[in-house]
């Protein structure tokens, strides 16, 4: 029970990687506050999760929503030990010159400003518990990706933000880390796949970019997240942990051959 009696504030925890994390965290003994902006996904997640779970309908890009969500979580559970900033979007799959201003702003507001909002309103709770923050990044934040410039830029920002936050909050005993998957089969990845020039080859491409030979489900990332938010990782901070099956070792070569 690595997370026994811990309270985790998890954004985007109703589907994809976030939902896999919710299941793993709950199994490890945590109490969950799950934030989503989708009423339907909340309903579906609530039917599958057991135990004491608080669901909050809120948008991470809206400061007032996050202030309310943090306050409600702290009131309900009496503490917050972990903030896992998992909420994110990947649309659109476009080059920079094809990306509209609205699309650009939406990506940064959710993927980057969302972290700012949860930290701004949640940091005092984490100071009380000497808790930690985990951000869900992506391998593309380090190496880039074709026709996905704005998304890659947000994840590069997440990586830099993670390292700077680790330095800022270390004096309070607060660790800040990130996980950086490559391909992971989630609803978001499936949507991205449909936007590619030749969507029929994407499944094979996603298998081949990973040195281990397959594109995984979200549980492999959830297991890494469990480690990072637990006391097992008590001396790790400022880490951008690849959960990539070795994709970065041959990623550019495979991209050039496949797309």
């Amino acid at each position: 029970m690595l997370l026994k009696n811990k309270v985790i504030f998890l954004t985007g925890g109703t589907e994809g990687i976030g939902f896999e994390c919710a299941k793993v965290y709950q199994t490890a003994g945590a109490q969950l506050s799950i934030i989503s902006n989708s009423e339907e996904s909340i309903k579906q997640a609530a039917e599958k999760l057991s135990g004491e779970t608080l669901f909050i309908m809120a948008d991470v890009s809206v400061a007032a929503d996050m202030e309310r969500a943090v306050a409600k979580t702290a009131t309900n559970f009496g503490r917050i030990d972990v903030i896992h900033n998992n909420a994110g979007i990947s649309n659109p799959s476009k080059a920079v010159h094809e990306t509209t201003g609205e699309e650009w702003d939406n990506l940064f507001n959710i993927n980057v400003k969302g972290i700012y909002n949860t930290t701004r309103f949640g940091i005092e709770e984490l100071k009380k518990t000497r808790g930690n923050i985990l951000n869900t990044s992506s391998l593309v934040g380090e190496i880039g990706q074709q026709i996905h410039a704005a998304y890659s830029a947000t994840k590069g920002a997440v990586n830099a933000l993670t390292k700077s936050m680790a330095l800022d909050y270390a004096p309070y005993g607060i660790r800040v880390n990130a996980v950086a998957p490559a391909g992971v089969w989630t609803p978001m990845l499936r949507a991205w796949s449909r936007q590619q020039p030749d969507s029929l080859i994407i499944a094979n491409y996603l298998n081949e970019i990973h040195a281990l030979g397959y594109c995984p489900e979200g549980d492999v990332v959830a297991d890494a997240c469990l480690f990072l938010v637990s006391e097992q990782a008590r001396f790790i901070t400022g880490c951008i942990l690849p959960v990539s099956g070795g994709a970065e070792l041959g990623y550019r070569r495979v991209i050039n051959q496949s797309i």
Side-chain angles (χ1 to χ4, degrees):
M1 300 288 281
L2 287 176
L3 301 178
K4 185 177 181 181
N5 299 322
K6 300 294 185 181
V7 175
I8 298 184
F9 183 94
L10 172 62
T11 69
T14 56
E15 59 183 36
I17 290 172
F19 183 67
E20 294 299 325
C21 286
K23 292 191 295 183
V24 166
Y25 293 161
Q26 194 172 73
T27 299
Q31 297 172 305
L32 301 177
S33 176
I34 297 179
I35 286 74
S36 172
N37 66 349
S38 169
E39 187 174 349
E40 180 59 29
S41 69
I42 287 176
K43 180 180 177 181
Q44 292 176 1
E47 292 172 352
K48 298 174 183 176
L49 290 173
S50 58
E52 188 176 357
T53 302
L54 175 67
F55 290 93
I56 301 175
M57 181 81 169
D59 186 334
V60 296
S61 68
V62 178
D65 278 14
M66 287 304 97
E67 184 175 22
R68 171 177 57 84
V70 168
K72 186 172 183 179
T73 301
T75 298
N76 188 80
F77 294 111
R79 60 189 290 150
I80 297 175
D81 296 279
V82 177
I83 293 176
H84 182 173
N85 293 300
N86 175 74
I89 61 171
S90 63
N91 288 334
S93 182
K94 297 178 180 178
V96 168
H97 71 282
E98 298 170 324
T99 305
T100 68
E102 182 179 2
E103 290 169 337
W104 180 276
D105 289 344
N106 197 37
L107 274 161
F108 274 87
N109 283 340
I110 294 172
N111 293 2
V112 185
K113 191 175 183 180
I115 297 175
Y116 162 72
N117 284 334
T118 61
T119 304
R120 178 184 173 194
F121 298 112
I123 194 64
E124 293 304 321
E125 293 299 328
L126 294 183
K127 287 180 182 179
K128 296 175 188 176
T129 58
R130 294 177 70 86
N132 67 84
I133 297 171
L134 179 63
N135 299 323
T136 299
S137 185
S138 170
L139 187 61
V140 301
E142 176 66 24
I143 66 175
Q145 187 176 34
Q146 289 173 305
I147 60 171
H148 223 185
Y151 174 73
S152 298
T154 67
K155 294 306 183 177
V158 169
N159 291 349
L161 188 59
T162 297
K163 294 175 183 179
S164 294
M165 288 167 61
L167 293 172
D168 287 340
Y169 301 129
Y172 303 99
I174 296 171
R175 299 182 297 107
V176 186
N177 294 295
V179 287
V184 178
W185 284 118
T186 64
M188 191 165 71
L189 182 66
R190 289 184 171 89
W192 172 84
S193 299
R194 292 190 293 270
Q195 296 175 29
Q196 302 314 300
D198 189 350
S199 60
L200 296 179
I201 69 168
I202 290 299
N204 184 59
Y205 155 69
L206 288 169
N207 287 334
E208 288 185 352
I209 66 171
H210 299 87
L212 292 179
Y214 68 98
C215 182
E217 299 292 331
D219 60 324
V220 301
V221 182
D223 287 343
C225 291
L226 173 61
F227 166 70
L228 285 174
V229 302
S230 76
E231 284 300 300
Q232 298 289 328
R234 61 191 174 276
F235 204 63
I236 298 175
T237 195
C239 173
I240 314 299
L241 178 66
V243 188
S244 59
E248 66 274 25
L249 304 178
Y251 197 68
R252 293 179 180 85
R253 176 183 60 80
V254 175
I255 281 182
N256 291 334
Q257 290 179 353
S258 301
I259 294 182

